[in-house]
Amino acid sequence: MKEFFLSTRIFKKLGSSENEINAQLKDLEIFIKDIAEIDPIFSNWYVNKASESSFKAPLDYPFPSDIAKNYLFNLKKNDDLESYLLWNGLEEKKSYASFNFDSFGLMVTFKKVLETEQIIELFKAFLKVLKFEYIYLNSYFFGDINVFPHRLETTSICYVPIKVDEKLMPHLYKIVDVNNDLNEGTILVFDEDWSDESNEMKKKVQENSLALVELNVVPEAELPENFFES
């Protein structure tokens, strides 16, 4: 079964003061409430505090709730490298989804092939809570066909922080302009069948990758030195 990773690159490492942690938890709550309407796999979330010694699924800290927020606050306060880890409580593989929010960005992992419009709504939910340099819906397929190993993968749906002239893209199914308080840019959809892994998709992604690198909007895979500056 395919696994998809809605991955992100932010401009700066997130802080870990008490005020910053509270702000992150507020953003997390906004995001979780936004995506709950997109698909049933995103309807319910729980703190994923499972460990190797766990004997049952971690369902005792539903998010958002005071007990979950307090747990995550204390976790982050004690170690700024800790992540806010959530899962949707569905153990069936095809319905499973998880969420990871740490100092370096956000990522949602899932296995269900969602409709293109649902994916666009997921992107929009991300773009409401943080300022992003790049968002990309990744899979092992896109990693394998990446023509620029020193850059993050170009994928069949991605967000870049500039207004893109559709005439510059060799292949485009849909273009969505973004302009809110945090982000101004473009969601690019290369093909309606975004999860396709055919040679035709490979051609589209690689040719579009050349165009996006020419525009200098696909970040380097390695984090820049100024990412860690406060």
Side-chain angles (χ1 to χ4, degrees), residues 37-180:
E37 304 300 321
I38 294 175
D39 191 86
I41 66 170
F42 304 130
S43 295
N44 298 293
W45 293 92
Y46 305 85
V47 174
N48 191 349
K49 57 184 187 64
S51 67
E52 291 181 358
S53 60
S54 299
F55 293 103
K56 62 179 183 178
L59 297 170
D60 44 348
Y61 288 3
F63 190 92
S65 67
D66 288 342
I67 188 173
K69 286 186 277 189
N70 289 337
Y71 174 86
L72 293 173
F73 178 90
N74 290 325
L75 192 72
K76 191 73 170 178
K77 183 180 177 182
N78 292 330
D79 183 353
D80 69 344
L81 294 179
E82 285 285 359
S83 302
Y84 308 116
L85 296 176
L86 304 179
W87 76 302
N88 65 352
L90 302 175
E91 297 184 74
E92 187 180 0
K93 287 185 177 180
K94 67 179 181 181
S95 301
Y96 178 86
S98 65
F99 180 79
N100 180 23
F101 181 9
D102 60 24
S103 300
F104 303 93
L106 297 81
M107 182 170 68
V108 174
T109 303
F110 57 94
K111 296 186 177 182
K112 184 176 181 179
V113 179
L114 301 172
E115 298 293 331
T116 302
E117 289 304 317
Q118 290 177 297
I119 298 296
I120 291 171
E121 290 305 310
L122 269 178
F123 271 70
K124 289 180 178 179
F126 270 113
L127 291 160
K128 289 180 184 177
V129 295
L130 287 177
K131 187 174 179 65
F132 290 100
E133 183 179 8
Y134 190 56
I135 305 177
Y136 54 117
L137 182 53
N138 208 357
S139 69
Y140 297 115
F141 170 74
F142 296 117
D144 290 341
I145 67 170
N146 186 18
V147 293
F148 297 103
H150 63 290
R151 293 184 183 267
L152 296 178
E153 292 86 351
T154 300
T155 61
S156 59
I157 305 181
C158 56
Y159 164 82
V160 295
I162 65 168
K163 296 294 184 183
V164 175
D165 184 345
E166 57 187 283
K167 295 177 182 177
L168 298 176
M169 302 301 299
H171 310 281
L172 206 56
Y173 166 71
K174 189 169 187 177
I175 188 166
V176 180
D177 290 332
V178 175
N179 191 353
N180 61 34

